[in-house]
Amino acid sequence: MTSPKRPSNSGSRFGQYVTRTSLPRRTVLRGLGATIALPLLDAMVPSLTAAESTPAAAKNLRRVGYIYIPMGFNPAQWTPEGESLDTLPSSLAPLESVKDQVTVISNMHLQNAYPGSHATSNSAFLSAARAKLTESSDYYLGTTVDQIAAKQFGHQTQLPSLELSMDLLSTVGQCDNGYACVYQNNLSWSSPTTPLPAEAHPRIVFETLFGEGGTPEQRAEALRARASLLDSVTDEIKRLKLALGSDDRNKIDDYIESIREVERRIEHAERTAQDNPLPDLDRPVGVPVAYADHAELMFDLQLLAFRGDITRIVTFQLARESSTRTYPEIGVPEPHHPVTHHGNNPQKLAKVAKINQYHISLFAKFLEKMAATPEADGNLLDHSLYMYGSGMGDPDAHDHHNLPVVVAGGAAGKMRGGRHIRYENPEPLSNLHLTLLNKVGVPLETFADSTGRVEDLFDPVNV
């Protein structure tokens, strides 16, 4: 995960700005071991100033996120029948409440992920590049789209980007058909030779977003010195609220309570781990026992990071390739990976569809929370774009055609939601990457093996 860079001109002495026309967007609350970035407040939008010159301008509210699911899908229970999302298939049914801000895209492919493997499914998803076949440290891939965006506007926030996962990804050596494990472990690459490790522990992510920084030992000492990260900024919060209007005070209260609630859930998971210290092979020690609780925490941390404008770029590996995680809570007690080698067995295909639906339900809940969070002239979901999908199509064949792909958000950017785009001929996934990069302000003409843009995704005047 990229190390935080705290802006040097941020401050928290509110008496300095009470007489000014607006509160600086980069104002933070500082305390012992804590640095709390603030959400967009009315006080941060100067009056009598052109909208495009304020923090509420569309260019300052662009965010992009990428969610990865492993081992493909069951297309029969995923693919909408027509061009609309009026009737959602079972795997996508959890998106019902937000489907107006969702577009499903069918028949996209990753040609550079061949020959088919788990390692190349993961590595090509955001790079659309061909991984060098090696089991050693001379690996070579390509810069991923999230890091291309980070180079364009990541410097505008405390964290250029945020890399998250659900599993421990520490395996080294050869993982899949002669490919080094680095390809399977890392979604994000800041250069063809520089993979960016993802973080799966909510506490570490929380401290990265809101802690003062420093070494792990310094952060641990600061944690021991306080009961809650927010305790040390209580007085700062009170002083800030004295200088704000009622709407902004309510926004501050809601935001701080959201942070506190996430912190409580992390603390509960840590206490539970102390009571039952047996580790899960895939799970870091001290995270929630239930997969859904862990995933929800990781999604909520993304939401907080976006609300505070701590970063505008996120990647999240919702499960790793070749995962043997079981999902007994949804009626799939068998390990995920073997189930996906279905051999067209209807029972196994039904279980693949259940896993697809379960993962989508977690994403849908996150989108609902984004849509319920006001910001500027809309909400967080309006001002964000998320791409959700896999680098594998049919997991039984390990192919990279007809990938499961969903794009969500972007109503303020005139994304044409509630639709199913089905290509008659396979369309490079890199075309979608190029389209989303252009939409968030990255002026590329081509990306990897792109042949054009997904012209139907946004209203023509807003592409």
Side-chain angles (χ1 to χ4, degrees):
M1 182 156 30
T2 311
S3 299
K5 295 181 179 179
R6 305 295 182 186
S8 59
N9 61 346
S10 296
S12 60
R13 293 296 173 258
F14 308 114
Q16 296 176 0
Y17 69 76
V18 171
T19 58
R20 296 181 185 176
T21 57
S22 67
L23 178 69
R25 179 64 182 97
R26 290 286 165 235
T27 300
V28 297
L29 307 172
R30 296 192 189 278
L32 177 63
T35 302
I36 309 296
L38 298 176
L40 181 63
L41 303 173
D42 293 342
M44 295 172 178
V45 182
S47 58
L48 305 177
T49 302
E52 282 303 302
S53 299
T54 74
K59 65 182 178 181
N60 295 321
L61 298 174
R62 290 170 172 161
R63 308 179 181 93
V64 62
Y66 301 91
I67 310 295
Y68 186 79
I69 56 169
M71 294 174 284
F73 71 137
N74 176 354
Q77 300 301 319
W78 175 287
T79 310
E81 290 186 3
E83 295 182 356
S84 77
L85 302 184
D86 291 343
T87 301
L88 290 169
S90 64
S91 289
L92 300 182
L95 293 168
E96 178 67 32
S97 66
V98 291
K99 67 182 182 183
D100 288 347
Q101 287 184 264
V102 166
T103 296
V104 179
I105 307 179
S106 296
N107 208 15
M108 305 210 88
H109 74 111
L110 270 174
Q111 188 61 43
N112 283 335
Y114 286 97
S117 74
H118 293 288
T120 56
S121 296
N122 190 80
S123 62
F125 183 65
L126 296 184
S127 70
R130 191 176 299 278
K132 178 182 178 180
L133 182 61
T134 180
E135 299 178 13
S136 188
S137 59
D138 60 335
Y139 44 77
Y140 193 93
L141 182 65
T143 304
T144 50
V145 285
D146 61 303
Q147 292 306 302
I148 291 174
K151 289 177 174 63
Q152 180 73 23
F153 56 84
H155 64 280
Q156 298 172 7
T157 54
Q158 295 173 22
L159 295 175
S161 60
L162 190 62
E163 292 75 46
L164 305 175
S165 66
M166 284 288 290
D167 301 304
L168 289 170
L169 301 169
S170 56
T171 309
V172 297
Q174 187 270 131
C175 274
D176 187 19
N177 294 329
Y179 286 97
C181 293
V182 67
Y183 295 122
Q184 197 161 313
N185 289 349
N186 299 278
L187 270 181
S188 297
W189 294 62
S190 61
S191 79
T193 58
T194 312
L196 297 181
E199 182 54 64
H201 202 303
R203 167 62 71 185
I204 296 174
V205 179
F206 186 82
E207 295 286 335
T208 300
L209 297 180
F210 303 112
E212 191 64 58
T215 66
E217 292 76 18
Q218 289 170 331
R219 291 198 300 268
E221 180 59 33
L223 182 61
R224 285 191 292 270
R226 53 175 163 75
S228 165
L229 181 145
L230 294 172
D231 288 348
S232 63
V233 295
T234 300
D235 290 341
E236 295 284 88
I237 295 170
K238 291 178 180 177
R239 283 197 291 271
L240 169 62
K241 289 170 65 176
L242 289 174
L244 298 176
S246 60
D247 286 348
D248 279 348
R249 291 197 298 271
N250 290 335
K251 289 178 185 177
I252 290 289
D253 287 341
D254 180 69
Y255 178 61
I256 294 300
E257 181 53 35
S258 297
I259 296 174
R260 194 179 298 279
E261 193 267 338
V262 165
E263 188 178 33
R264 288 191 197 108
R265 285 155 53 200
I266 293 172
E267 291 168 349
H268 175 74
E270 291 168 338
R271 288 194 301 271
T272 303
Q274 292 171 359
D275 295 337
N276 182 19
L278 292 177
D280 184 303
L281 291 178
D282 289 332
R283 240 180 349 106
V285 175
V287 307
V289 173
Y291 172 82
D293 291 343
H294 184 190
E296 187 175 351
L297 259 181
M298 301 304 281
F299 274 124
D300 285 350
L301 286 162
Q302 294 175 56
L303 191 149
L304 290 175
F306 281 167
R307 285 186 77 177
D309 203 31
I310 300 169
T311 191
R312 298 175 187 169
I313 303 158
V314 174
T315 57
F316 183 25
Q317 198 174 21
L318 199 49
R320 63 177 175 80
E321 286 290 340
S322 301
S323 171
T324 55
R325 183 187 299 278
T326 62
Y327 298 96
E329 63 271 39
I330 60 167
V332 185
E334 301 88 349
H336 187 180
H337 184 199
V339 165
T340 63
H341 288 283
H342 51 74
N344 290 321
N345 180 305
Q347 292 182 329
K348 286 190 173 182
L349 281 166
K351 289 175 180 177
V352 171
K354 280 187 176 182
I355 295 172
N356 292 154
Q357 184 190 63
Y358 189 40
H359 287 158
I360 275 284
S361 72
L362 300 169
F363 181 51
K365 189 172 184 178
F366 169 63
L367 296 180
E368 290 169 356
K369 289 181 179 179
M370 294 266 284
T373 304
E375 183 185 60
D377 60 349
N379 57 60
L380 279 182
L381 186 56
D382 290 337
H383 303 135
S384 305
L385 282 171
Y386 261 87
M387 174 183 156
Y388 175 107
S390 180
M392 188 176 287
D394 179 359
D396 195 52
H398 279 199
D399 74 21
H400 308 290
H401 282 77
N402 191 27
L403 306 174
V405 175
V406 171
V407 179
K414 305 300 181 184
M415 192 182 90
R416 301 170 66 188
R419 301 171 62 245
H420 174 213
I421 299 173
R422 188 202 307 262
Y423 286 100
E424 182 176 348
N425 299 310
E427 183 85 355
L429 187 64
S430 53
N431 286 5
L432 177 58
H433 286 318
L434 179 63
T435 304
L436 297 186
L437 284 175
N438 288 173
K439 188 60 190 172
V440 296
V442 181
L444 288 185
E445 291 298 322
T446 62
F447 172 71
D449 60 349
S450 65
T451 59
R453 295 172 177 80
V454 182
E455 302 295 349
D456 293 335
L457 190 57
F458 299 98
D459 285 345
V461 296
N462 288 282
V463 174

